[in-house]
Amino acid sequence: MDFELSEELIAVRDLARDFAEKEIAPTATQDDKEHKFRKDLLLKMGELGFFGSVVPEKYGGNGLGFLAMVLITEEVARVHSAVRVAINMQIGPALALLQFGNEEQKKKWIPPLLRGQFVGCFAITEPDAGSDVSAIRTTAAKKDGGYVIDGTKLWISNAPVADGGLVYAYTDKSQKHRGLSAFYATFDRPGVTRRALETMGAHASPIGELAFENFQLANENLLGKEGDGFKVCMWQLNQTRLNCAAGALGVARAAREAAVNYCNQREQFGQKIGQYQMNQELIAHMVVQEEGARLLVYRAAWLADQGKPNNLETSIAKYTAAEAAAHATDAAMKILGAYGYSTELPVERYYRDAKSYQIVEGSSNIQKMIIAQDALGYRKANR
Ligand code: GRA
C-alpha cells in the first residue's frame, strides 16, 4: 500500500491549486453575490486539461486518471464550490459518452466538452423523480427516424447556460426502468425552454428547469441502445458522485483552514481563541473527518484507476465527505462568529455550499441505503 502521490500527480495538484488560488479565489465571493457563471474559467480549465484526466488522448483527454480528477476537483472546490459543479457538468457527460457512445459520438462530442467550449449538463431529475430515478416521466417517442422528447427536468445544474448534455427519457414506460433511454442532445433547436431557479448556495453555478416540448432528436442522439438508460444513469452517477465527494472534501478543507487561521489570530480574554478547549474540540473533529474523507475519496478514485469496481467505495466516500463538509462549515461558523456570518468573507458561502453535498448526486440517505443494503447482503453495490 502506497500513500504517496506520484510526482506527476503532485504536479497536477499543484497546478490546480495555483490556478484556483490565482484565478478563482480572488473573485469567488463577488461571483457568488452576482450569481456569475464564469465561462472564461471553463475555457481556461479546459486549456489546462482539468476535464481531460479521465479521458484518453484519442478523444482529447490526457489520461492521467481519476486520482488526478479528484485532486483537481478538491483544489477548485476549496476556493469555490460552484466552479466545482461546472467541472462535473463537463466530465459527467464526457464519461458517459466515452463508456456508452459509438466512435462517431465520442469523436464529435467529447472534445468540445473537455475544452470547455461546449457547456454541458445532465438532465435526470424531475419534479416527481429525485432519489427515485425510475419515476422519470419524460418520454422519447419514435418519430420520422428519430425521437421526440416531451417532459420537464428540474434542478438541473447549468440548465440556464448549457449548450446541451445528457437527457434521460422513457422510450417504453411499460418496461419500467428497463424502458429508460439516454440521449445526448444539443439545445440549439426549438422545443427546449429554460427557467432559472434560486437556491441557497452555489450561486455562481446556474441551476433551473429544462422543459422539453416536441423536442426533436435524431437517432444519432441515442446513447447505447433503447432501454439502456437506467444502466447509463447508474454508471454515470457513480462517476459524478466521486466528483461530488472530492468537492465536499475541498469545502471541508476550506472550512478547517479558515477556522485554524482564525483561532491563531483572534484573541479574546487575553489569549488566542485556539487555546480554548471548546474550539480545540471543533478543530479536532474537523481534522479527523476531513482526513477520513480524503482517504476514502482517494481510495475510490484509485480503484477506478485500477479498473476495479468502486460503487460501494464511492458511496462511502461521498457520504463521509458530504457530512464532513456540513459539520466543518458549521463548526467554522461557530469559531468565526460574526466574521463567519459576514457575507464579506467566504465562510458563510462555504456553509451554504456545503449543504448541497448532502442533497446532490444521491442524498446522504441514498448513500446510506446503498451502503447498508450492501452490508446486509440485500443488494450488492459493486456489480
Ligand atoms: O436487474 P436489473 O436489470 O433490473 O437492474 C437493476 C440493477 O441491477 C436496476 O438497475 C440496476 N442498478 C445498477 N446497475 C449498475 C442499480 N444500481 C446500479 C448500479 N450502481 N450499477 C434497478 O435496480 P434497483 O436497485 O431496483 O434501482 P432503484 O431502487 O430504483 O434505484 C437505486 C438507487 C436508489 C441507488 C438509484 O435510483 C439512485 O442512485 N438514486 C439517486 C439518484 C441520484 O443520485 N440523482 C442525482 C441527480 S443529478 C445531481 O444531483 C446533479 C448534481 C450536480 C453536482 O453538484 O455536481
Tab-separated table of all heavy atoms in Angstrom, residues 84-85 88-89 122 124-125 130-134 157 177-178 230 234 237 241 244 311 360-362 366 369-370 379 381 383, ligand 1:
chain	number	residue	atom	x	y	z
A	84	ARG	N	-16.650	23.978	-8.966
A	84	ARG	CA	-16.554	22.508	-8.953
A	84	ARG	C	-17.749	21.880	-9.690
A	84	ARG	O	-17.600	20.904	-10.424
A	84	ARG	CB	-16.511	22.025	-7.496
A	84	ARG	CG	-16.175	20.582	-7.249
A	84	ARG	CD	-17.232	19.583	-7.554
A	84	ARG	NE	-18.526	19.880	-6.956
A	84	ARG	CZ	-19.657	19.353	-7.350
A	84	ARG	NH1	-19.709	18.503	-8.357
A	84	ARG	NH2	-20.794	19.675	-6.760
A	85	VAL	N	-18.936	22.464	-9.506
A	85	VAL	CA	-20.113	21.931	-10.199
A	85	VAL	C	-19.873	21.979	-11.710
A	85	VAL	O	-20.167	21.026	-12.438
A	85	VAL	CB	-21.403	22.715	-9.846
A	85	VAL	CG1	-22.620	22.079	-10.518
A	85	VAL	CG2	-21.611	22.794	-8.338
A	88	ASN	N	-17.956	19.135	-13.018
A	88	ASN	CA	-18.746	17.898	-13.109
A	88	ASN	C	-19.653	17.895	-14.335
A	88	ASN	O	-19.913	16.842	-14.917
A	88	ASN	CB	-19.584	17.750	-11.836
A	88	ASN	CG	-19.808	16.309	-11.442
A	88	ASN	OD1	-19.122	15.408	-11.919
A	88	ASN	ND2	-20.768	16.084	-10.570
A	89	MET	N	-20.130	19.066	-14.706
A	89	MET	CA	-21.042	19.159	-15.856
A	89	MET	C	-20.313	18.914	-17.183
A	89	MET	O	-20.926	18.598	-18.186
A	89	MET	CB	-21.725	20.539	-15.902
A	89	MET	CG	-22.648	20.801	-14.752
A	89	MET	SD	-23.906	19.512	-14.579
A	89	MET	CE	-23.495	18.851	-12.973
A	122	PHE	N	-26.356	17.370	-17.197
A	122	PHE	CA	-27.073	16.095	-17.310
A	122	PHE	C	-28.435	16.236	-16.658
A	122	PHE	O	-28.569	16.701	-15.538
A	122	PHE	CB	-26.284	14.893	-16.777
A	122	PHE	CG	-25.503	15.094	-15.524
A	122	PHE	CD1	-26.065	14.786	-14.295
A	122	PHE	CD2	-24.186	15.550	-15.567
A	122	PHE	CE1	-25.339	14.938	-13.123
A	122	PHE	CE2	-23.453	15.707	-14.399
A	122	PHE	CZ	-24.032	15.414	-13.181
A	124	ILE	N	-31.456	14.486	-15.329
A	124	ILE	CA	-32.079	13.270	-14.787
A	124	ILE	C	-33.333	13.676	-14.008
A	124	ILE	O	-34.443	13.254	-14.306
A	124	ILE	CB	-31.109	12.525	-13.816
A	124	ILE	CG1	-29.741	12.266	-14.457
A	124	ILE	CG2	-31.747	11.239	-13.320
A	124	ILE	CD1	-28.661	11.796	-13.479
A	125	THR	N	-33.120	14.534	-13.004
A	125	THR	CA	-34.148	14.868	-12.014
A	125	THR	C	-35.363	15.570	-12.614
A	125	THR	O	-35.246	16.357	-13.540
A	125	THR	CB	-33.496	15.749	-10.926
A	125	THR	OG1	-32.366	15.043	-10.410
A	125	THR	CG2	-34.451	16.044	-9.789
A	130	GLY	N	-36.647	12.357	-7.973
A	130	GLY	CA	-35.386	12.831	-7.404
A	130	GLY	C	-34.527	11.623	-7.075
A	130	GLY	O	-33.826	11.090	-7.928
A	131	SER	N	-34.660	11.126	-5.831
A	131	SER	CA	-33.938	9.909	-5.444
A	131	SER	C	-34.390	8.722	-6.290
A	131	SER	O	-33.601	7.840	-6.621
A	131	SER	CB	-34.197	9.597	-3.964
A	131	SER	OG	-33.675	10.614	-3.147
A	132	ASP	N	-35.673	8.716	-6.619
A	132	ASP	CA	-36.263	7.604	-7.367
A	132	ASP	C	-36.173	7.875	-8.871
A	132	ASP	O	-37.098	8.406	-9.485
A	132	ASP	CB	-37.732	7.452	-6.921
A	132	ASP	CG	-38.422	6.261	-7.566
A	132	ASP	OD1	-37.771	5.530	-8.332
A	132	ASP	OD2	-39.624	6.068	-7.298
A	133	VAL	N	-35.053	7.477	-9.437
A	133	VAL	CA	-34.783	7.779	-10.859
A	133	VAL	C	-35.821	7.143	-11.776
A	133	VAL	O	-36.234	7.719	-12.784
A	133	VAL	CB	-33.355	7.310	-11.232
A	133	VAL	CG1	-33.114	7.437	-12.724
A	133	VAL	CG2	-32.310	8.111	-10.462
A	134	SER	N	-36.281	5.940	-11.422
A	134	SER	CA	-37.205	5.250	-12.336
A	134	SER	C	-38.567	5.949	-12.423
A	134	SER	O	-39.372	5.625	-13.284
A	134	SER	CB	-37.367	3.778	-11.942
A	134	SER	OG	-38.036	3.697	-10.712
A	157	SER	N	-28.363	21.390	-12.888
A	157	SER	CA	-27.210	22.300	-12.867
A	157	SER	C	-26.865	22.671	-14.300
A	157	SER	O	-26.850	21.806	-15.178
A	157	SER	CB	-26.006	21.630	-12.204
A	157	SER	OG	-26.310	21.378	-10.862
A	177	HIS	N	-37.980	0.485	-15.357
A	177	HIS	CA	-36.653	1.098	-15.562
A	177	HIS	C	-35.944	0.580	-16.820
A	177	HIS	O	-35.079	1.237	-17.360
A	177	HIS	CB	-35.782	0.935	-14.311
A	177	HIS	CG	-35.395	-0.488	-14.037
A	177	HIS	ND1	-36.152	-1.313	-13.244
A	177	HIS	CD2	-34.343	-1.224	-14.467
A	177	HIS	CE1	-35.573	-2.504	-13.195
A	177	HIS	NE2	-34.477	-2.464	-13.922
A	178	ARG	N	-36.351	-0.593	-17.286
A	178	ARG	CA	-35.705	-1.137	-18.500
A	178	ARG	C	-36.181	-0.447	-19.778
A	178	ARG	O	-35.692	-0.748	-20.865
A	178	ARG	CB	-35.935	-2.646	-18.594
A	178	ARG	CG	-35.152	-3.358	-17.504
A	178	ARG	CD	-35.217	-4.861	-17.606
A	178	ARG	NE	-34.556	-5.434	-16.439
A	178	ARG	CZ	-34.908	-6.562	-15.861
A	178	ARG	NH1	-35.915	-7.273	-16.337
A	178	ARG	NH2	-34.249	-6.997	-14.812
A	230	PHE	N	-31.245	3.353	-17.769
A	230	PHE	CA	-31.067	3.221	-16.320
A	230	PHE	C	-29.631	2.792	-16.007
A	230	PHE	O	-28.998	3.310	-15.084
A	230	PHE	CB	-32.068	2.222	-15.734
A	230	PHE	CG	-32.345	2.452	-14.272
A	230	PHE	CD1	-33.259	3.410	-13.868
A	230	PHE	CD2	-31.673	1.737	-13.289
A	230	PHE	CE1	-33.505	3.645	-12.510
A	230	PHE	CE2	-31.908	1.963	-11.938
A	230	PHE	CZ	-32.830	2.915	-11.546
A	234	MET	N	-27.042	4.959	-13.820
A	234	MET	CA	-26.402	4.461	-12.597
A	234	MET	C	-24.877	4.514	-12.749
A	234	MET	O	-24.156	4.878	-11.822
A	234	MET	CB	-26.843	3.021	-12.286
A	234	MET	CG	-28.277	2.902	-11.841
A	234	MET	SD	-28.646	3.882	-10.371
A	234	MET	CE	-29.948	4.935	-10.980
A	237	LEU	N	-23.837	8.200	-12.606
A	237	LEU	CA	-23.929	8.746	-11.244
A	237	LEU	C	-22.755	8.298	-10.389
A	237	LEU	O	-22.275	9.038	-9.535
A	237	LEU	CB	-25.248	8.336	-10.585
A	237	LEU	CG	-26.488	9.115	-11.039
A	237	LEU	CD1	-27.750	8.519	-10.422
A	237	LEU	CD2	-26.382	10.596	-10.680
A	241	ARG	N	-20.715	11.187	-8.760
A	241	ARG	CA	-20.724	11.132	-7.294
A	241	ARG	C	-19.313	11.267	-6.726
A	241	ARG	O	-19.104	11.887	-5.693
A	241	ARG	CB	-21.260	9.756	-6.900
A	241	ARG	CG	-22.373	9.772	-5.933
A	241	ARG	CD	-23.119	8.449	-5.907
A	241	ARG	NE	-24.518	8.665	-6.209
A	241	ARG	CZ	-25.381	7.694	-6.440
A	241	ARG	NH1	-25.008	6.427	-6.421
A	241	ARG	NH2	-26.637	7.992	-6.690
A	244	CYS	N	-18.401	14.788	-6.786
A	244	CYS	CA	-19.040	15.495	-5.664
A	244	CYS	C	-18.306	15.216	-4.359
A	244	CYS	O	-18.143	16.113	-3.521
A	244	CYS	CB	-20.486	15.033	-5.502
A	244	CYS	SG	-21.570	15.827	-6.655
A	311	ASN	N	-18.355	1.305	-6.818
A	311	ASN	CA	-19.646	1.924	-6.460
A	311	ASN	C	-19.812	2.059	-4.954
A	311	ASN	O	-20.215	3.113	-4.458
A	311	ASN	CB	-20.819	1.085	-6.974
A	311	ASN	CG	-20.958	1.157	-8.474
A	311	ASN	OD1	-20.145	1.767	-9.148
A	311	ASN	ND2	-21.979	0.522	-9.000
A	360	VAL	N	-27.206	16.515	-3.447
A	360	VAL	CA	-26.972	16.158	-4.852
A	360	VAL	C	-26.342	14.773	-5.035
A	360	VAL	O	-25.772	14.222	-4.100
A	360	VAL	CB	-26.067	17.202	-5.571
A	360	VAL	CG1	-26.747	18.546	-5.661
A	360	VAL	CG2	-24.699	17.296	-4.909
A	361	GLU	N	-26.490	14.272	-6.252
A	361	GLU	CA	-25.818	13.025	-6.674
A	361	GLU	C	-26.127	11.846	-5.762
A	361	GLU	O	-25.251	11.041	-5.453
A	361	GLU	CB	-24.304	13.248	-6.713
A	361	GLU	CG	-23.883	14.290	-7.703
A	361	GLU	CD	-23.872	13.781	-9.132
A	361	GLU	OE1	-24.088	12.577	-9.335
A	361	GLU	OE2	-23.667	14.596	-10.030
A	362	GLY	N	-27.370	11.800	-5.301
A	362	GLY	CA	-27.756	10.798	-4.323
A	362	GLY	C	-27.556	11.422	-2.957
A	362	GLY	O	-26.421	11.702	-2.550
A	366	ILE	N	-29.628	8.325	0.549
A	366	ILE	CA	-29.484	7.331	-0.541
A	366	ILE	C	-28.135	6.625	-0.407
A	366	ILE	O	-28.043	5.400	-0.562
A	366	ILE	CB	-29.646	8.003	-1.930
A	366	ILE	CG1	-31.116	8.366	-2.184
A	366	ILE	CG2	-29.097	7.121	-3.057
A	366	ILE	CD1	-32.060	7.182	-2.379
A	369	MET	N	-28.391	4.132	2.291
A	369	MET	CA	-29.194	2.995	1.835
A	369	MET	C	-28.325	2.032	1.007
A	369	MET	O	-28.338	0.817	1.234
A	369	MET	CB	-30.343	3.529	0.983
A	369	MET	CG	-31.415	2.544	0.659
A	369	MET	SD	-32.646	3.358	-0.398
A	369	MET	CE	-32.000	2.923	-1.999
A	370	ILE	N	-27.554	2.603	0.077
A	370	ILE	CA	-26.687	1.769	-0.772
A	370	ILE	C	-25.684	1.007	0.101
A	370	ILE	O	-25.467	-0.195	-0.071
A	370	ILE	CB	-25.946	2.651	-1.821
A	370	ILE	CG1	-26.951	3.227	-2.831
A	370	ILE	CG2	-24.837	1.866	-2.528
A	370	ILE	CD1	-26.378	4.303	-3.759
A	379	ARG	N	-28.486	-6.115	-1.535
A	379	ARG	CA	-28.260	-5.623	-2.890
A	379	ARG	C	-26.811	-5.175	-2.988
A	379	ARG	O	-26.409	-4.205	-2.342
A	379	ARG	CB	-29.213	-4.436	-3.130
A	379	ARG	CG	-29.225	-3.932	-4.528
A	379	ARG	CD	-30.430	-3.057	-4.809
A	379	ARG	NE	-30.466	-1.858	-3.977
A	379	ARG	CZ	-31.312	-0.842	-4.163
A	379	ARG	NH1	-32.195	-0.900	-5.120
A	379	ARG	NH2	-31.284	0.209	-3.386
A	381	ALA	N	-23.600	-3.381	-4.010
A	381	ALA	CA	-23.369	-2.079	-4.649
A	381	ALA	C	-22.429	-2.220	-5.842
A	381	ALA	O	-22.602	-1.551	-6.859
A	381	ALA	CB	-22.793	-1.100	-3.636
A	383	ARG	N	-21.451	-4.059	-8.909
A	383	ARG	CA	-21.924	-5.119	-9.817
A	383	ARG	C	-21.586	-4.748	-11.237
A	383	ARG	O	-21.310	-3.618	-11.538
A	383	ARG	CB	-23.420	-5.344	-9.646
A	383	ARG	CG	-24.229	-4.050	-9.719
A	383	ARG	CD	-25.660	-4.251	-9.347
A	383	ARG	NE	-26.080	-3.188	-8.434
A	383	ARG	CZ	-27.318	-3.050	-7.994
A	383	ARG	NH1	-28.232	-3.909	-8.323
A	383	ARG	NH2	-27.646	-2.060	-7.217
B	1	GRA	O1	-31.639	-6.253	-12.544
B	1	GRA	P1	-31.957	-5.133	-13.477
B	1	GRA	O2	-31.504	-5.379	-14.877
B	1	GRA	O3	-33.389	-4.739	-13.379
B	1	GRA	O4	-31.083	-3.909	-12.979
B	1	GRA	C1	-31.299	-3.304	-11.707
B	1	GRA	C2	-29.967	-3.028	-11.068
B	1	GRA	O5	-29.073	-4.094	-11.195
B	1	GRA	C3	-31.822	-1.930	-11.993
B	1	GRA	O6	-30.694	-1.094	-12.100
B	1	GRA	C4	-29.507	-1.807	-11.824
B	1	GRA	N1	-28.620	-0.995	-10.986
B	1	GRA	C5	-27.342	-0.782	-11.242
B	1	GRA	N2	-26.556	-1.190	-12.234
B	1	GRA	C6	-25.274	-0.803	-12.212
B	1	GRA	C7	-28.958	-0.349	-9.843
B	1	GRA	N3	-27.896	0.286	-9.349
B	1	GRA	C8	-26.887	0.027	-10.189
B	1	GRA	C9	-25.532	0.400	-10.232
B	1	GRA	N4	-24.996	1.173	-9.295
B	1	GRA	N5	-24.779	-0.036	-11.253
B	1	GRA	C10	-32.773	-1.395	-10.942
B	1	GRA	O7	-32.104	-1.505	-9.708
B	1	GRA	P2	-32.775	-1.067	-8.344
B	1	GRA	O8	-31.784	-1.311	-7.277
B	1	GRA	O9	-34.126	-1.693	-8.225
B	1	GRA	O10	-32.966	0.509	-8.564
B	1	GRA	P3	-33.684	1.561	-7.675
B	1	GRA	O11	-34.035	1.006	-6.341
B	1	GRA	O12	-34.728	2.213	-8.476
B	1	GRA	O13	-32.542	2.693	-7.522
B	1	GRA	C11	-31.389	2.553	-6.907
B	1	GRA	C12	-30.872	3.922	-6.389
B	1	GRA	C13	-31.718	4.468	-5.257
B	1	GRA	C14	-29.464	3.632	-5.880
B	1	GRA	C15	-30.837	4.940	-7.553
B	1	GRA	O14	-32.109	5.253	-8.019
B	1	GRA	C16	-30.122	6.208	-7.193
B	1	GRA	O15	-28.910	6.255	-7.261
B	1	GRA	N6	-30.841	7.293	-6.803
B	1	GRA	C17	-30.256	8.582	-6.558
B	1	GRA	C18	-30.436	9.479	-7.726
B	1	GRA	C19	-29.347	10.484	-7.868
B	1	GRA	O16	-28.207	10.289	-7.470
B	1	GRA	N7	-29.653	11.597	-8.512
B	1	GRA	C20	-28.673	12.578	-8.802
B	1	GRA	C21	-29.227	13.600	-9.688
B	1	GRA	S1	-28.045	14.543	-10.578
B	1	GRA	C22	-27.390	15.648	-9.484
B	1	GRA	O17	-27.581	15.587	-8.327
B	1	GRA	C23	-26.556	16.730	-10.075
B	1	GRA	C24	-25.576	17.342	-9.102
B	1	GRA	C25	-24.610	18.173	-9.777
B	1	GRA	C26	-23.344	18.466	-8.970
B	1	GRA	O18	-23.407	19.122	-7.913
B	1	GRA	O19	-22.242	18.083	-9.412
